[in-house]
Amino acid sequence: MSVISGKKILLGVTAGIAAYKTAFLVRLFIKAGAQVKVVMTPAAKEFVTPLTLSTLSKNEVISSFTKEEDHSNQWNNHVELGLWADLMLIAPATANTLSKMAKGHSDNFLLATYLSSKCPVYFAPAMDLDMHRHPSTRENFDTLTSFGNIMIPATSGELASGLSGEGRMAEPDDILKFIEDHLAKSLPLRNKKVLITAGPTYEAIDPVRFIGNHSSGKMGFELAAAARALGAEVILISGPTHLQNPNEEIKLIRVQSAVDMFEAATKFFPEVDIAIASAAVSDYRPKLSATQKIKKSAETMMLELVKNPDILANLGETKKHQILVGFALETENEEENAAGKLQRKNLDFIVLNSLNDSGAGFKSETNKIKILFKDGKTKSFQLKSKTEVARDILNEIILLSNE
Ligand code: PMT
């Protein structure tokens, strides 16, 4: 599966003969699972039609600051588009556009979008060989790369002028490969396998009733999505939840009970590099689960419970090279209890969330965490969305794995 799968790519097309190749490029990006939007300079429309690129990208193609078709006088929002993109590619990038980019001009929609973008910007020069070797063009390449833009070098070969030499835009297949390789290299969890437990467990009393808890699975699913986005291969073991798999590249194993979760987690643990236990696992289960629905009879009813296996403690006992992270959901003596679990379960760090903090813990879209490390250090975080909390936790793991 390509690393650009799920990425939002903004393709900027400028006025060079190689613009016709962008039709193939858009197809390749879409086939690799990316979302594509196209912006063009007005002159680029002489080389490839917006209709072709909008049909292939399944998105409107923008080439001016206003919505031309309906004469609505509405602005096309270059800032929004710049922020939408995970990466921008300018291909073909003509000498004229590169020069304007180097100087910060914004006299067309493509340039304004480039200046507004916060994502990595790749550019694939395409021009005749003398233009390509001109000192001003060379200087523009240097300036643009010094800004952090990434050049996909032109190749040598037959040029539109009939001359032969350096200046041909890289072929679409090679552009795709260049971007994939570049992205893969910069992902901090590439080549890492991560196991995550999430959600509640349901401990059956009879075929219709169970002992469970309020975990929605959200925290664990956000961790899985963030780990995948950072390049990891992710195995997500989840108790019952309504959440969908956030990324089809994540191996999602749905389980019901603590025993099911224990079996799945201990099976995969030896092959992973990192394990994060965010599941709210039931500590006890009914000793006997009735095969038929229990009928109402006496005024009171005793339910005998037996202890469930402690999944995380077991992983802690068997851990070798793995970084092991647990959660602690507390209601009192928070730090003391969390520190005890950190030590007993042999963790690298534990993520404390307290039900005494509003917006933290179960169900909500937010969480407020404090991390306790095994060397005694702690780190407190503000109330944030669970998406951001997941990134914070993974950043700490990345720092640990680089030590
Ligand atoms: O799912 P959400 O609605 O987004 O809510 C997220 C959350 C509140 C469930 C999550 O942030 C969280 O705190 N998860 C851990 C909840 C919990 O059960 O904590 P605990 O203190 O009881 O357990 C300590 C650690 O041991 C946890 O990592 C837990 O996964 C693990 N454990 C506990 C018992 C057991 N039998 N096996 C385990 O692996």
Side-chain angles (χ1 to χ4, degrees):
M1 194 64 78
S2 168
V3 284
I4 71 159
S5 173
K7 291 252 180 289
K8 296 180 195 130
I9 300 181
L10 185 58
L11 173 64
V13 182
T14 74
I17 186 67
Y20 80 91
K21 294 185 185 174
T22 57
F24 300 99
L25 202 47
V26 173
R27 277 289 293 139
L28 286 173
F29 287 155
I30 297 277
K31 272 176 83 177
Q35 290 181 54
V36 182
K37 289 189 181 180
V38 180
V39 293
M40 305 176 81
T41 59
K45 294 194 285 188
E46 303 288 334
F47 294 87
V48 59
T49 71
L51 181 64
T52 304
L53 297 179
S54 68
T55 307
L56 291 170
S57 67
K58 302 184 184 72
N59 275 309
E60 143 189 67
V61 170
I62 302 177
S63 61
S64 79
F65 287 98
T66 55
K67 301 225 179 279
E68 301 146 310
E69 337 80 274
D70 58 4
H71 303 287
S72 61
N73 291 331
Q74 271 186 336
W75 278 89
N76 282 317
N77 192 330
H78 53 90
V79 178
E80 220 168 65
L81 206 51
L83 293 178
W84 170 84
D86 294 319
L87 71 92
M88 183 171 187
L89 164 68
I90 299 170
T94 58
N96 182 41
T97 290
L98 292 174
S99 161
K100 289 178 173 181
M101 283 165 64
K103 289 280 172 283
H105 290 245
S106 62
D107 62 359
N108 64 43
F109 187 79
L110 185 151
L111 289 165
T113 309
Y114 159 70
L115 281 178
S116 307
S117 65
K118 288 194 172 162
C119 57
V121 178
Y122 298 79
F123 65 94
M127 60 198 75
D128 213 65
L129 79 163
D130 292 317
M131 296 170 82
H132 190 264
R133 67 160 75 112
H134 196 280
S136 61
T137 306
R138 297 276 152 176
E139 198 175 285
N140 289 334
F141 291 162
D142 291 343
T143 306
L144 287 167
T145 48
S146 76
F147 294 161
N149 299 309
I150 307 123
M151 180 159 91
I152 305 176
T155 59
S156 276
E158 200 181 315
L159 299 163
S161 61
L163 297 172
S164 191
E166 208 176 2
R168 270 173 75 95
M169 185 178 85
E171 293 301 322
D173 283 324
D174 297 328
I175 291 178
L176 173 66
K177 180 146 190 342
F178 184 101
I179 294 173
E180 284 177 333
D181 289 349
H182 187 265
L183 282 179
K185 260 188 245 151
S186 55
L187 291 174
L189 291 181
R190 71 184 187 285
N191 304 327
K192 297 277 186 223
K193 223 171 184 180
V194 180
L195 170 73
I196 295 164
T197 67
T201 61
Y202 284 2
E203 310 301 326
I205 297 170
D206 69 15
V208 296
R209 303 179 182 94
F210 58 84
I211 298 171
N213 60 63
H214 295 295
S215 170
S216 63
K218 176 96 183 147
M219 191 65 251
F221 276 57
E222 289 292 354
L223 279 163
R228 178 63 208 135
L230 291 168
E233 188 181 335
V234 180
I235 302 163
L236 173 61
I237 303 170
S238 175
T241 156
H242 297 298
L243 299 176
Q244 300 295 317
N245 191 346
N247 183 326
E248 63 182 26
E249 292 167 44
I250 294 171
K251 184 183 178 84
L252 172 59
I253 299 164
R254 293 194 189 266
V255 296
Q256 288 285 317
S257 67
V259 169
D260 297 341
M261 191 175 274
F262 175 83
E263 278 165 12
T266 49
K267 175 178 166 203
F268 288 105
F269 185 61
E271 65 188 66
V272 304
D273 306 287
I274 297 159
I276 312 171
S278 70
V281 185
S282 180
D283 288 323
Y284 292 90
R285 67 177 184 279
K287 186 171 184 186
L288 295 171
S289 166
T291 50
Q292 301 299 330
K293 186 181 172 192
I294 299 170
K295 298 286 175 218
K296 184 164 57 177
S297 53
E299 281 307 303
T300 58
M301 184 186 147
M302 296 292 286
L303 206 53
E304 192 180 353
L305 302 178
V306 293
K307 234 183 191 173
N308 267 328
D310 189 317
I311 303 165
L312 186 56
N314 182 279
L315 303 186
E317 270 167 33
T318 56
K319 109 172 173 170
K320 294 197 167 68
H321 59 284
Q322 294 92 341
I323 291 180
L324 187 58
V325 172
F327 271 71
L329 180 63
E330 303 296 339
T331 55
E332 56 178 353
N333 302 328
E334 286 100 334
E335 279 205 48
E336 198 186 319
N337 288 339
K341 288 173 187 173
L342 168 73
Q343 212 196 4
R344 278 199 305 281
K345 304 194 186 201
N346 191 22
L347 310 177
D348 290 278
F349 67 78
I350 193 156
V351 180
L352 165 63
N353 39 192
S354 166
L355 286 185
N356 295 320
D357 290 324
S358 69
F362 286 135
K363 285 182 176 169
S364 64
E365 295 294 311
T366 53
N367 206 356
K368 186 166 184 290
I369 62 162
K370 181 167 193 171
I371 294 184
L372 284 70
F373 296 91
K374 65 177 176 193
D375 62 3
K377 287 193 189 124
T378 62
K379 207 166 185 175
S380 297
F381 295 80
Q382 302 293 317
L383 181 74
K384 294 181 181 185
S385 71
K386 283 184 176 166
T387 313
E388 291 170 297
V389 172
R391 272 195 231 120
D392 286 340
I393 293 169
L394 288 162
N395 282 344
E396 295 303 327
I397 291 175
I398 291 162
L399 287 174
L400 266 187
S401 64
N402 290 339
E403 267 176 11

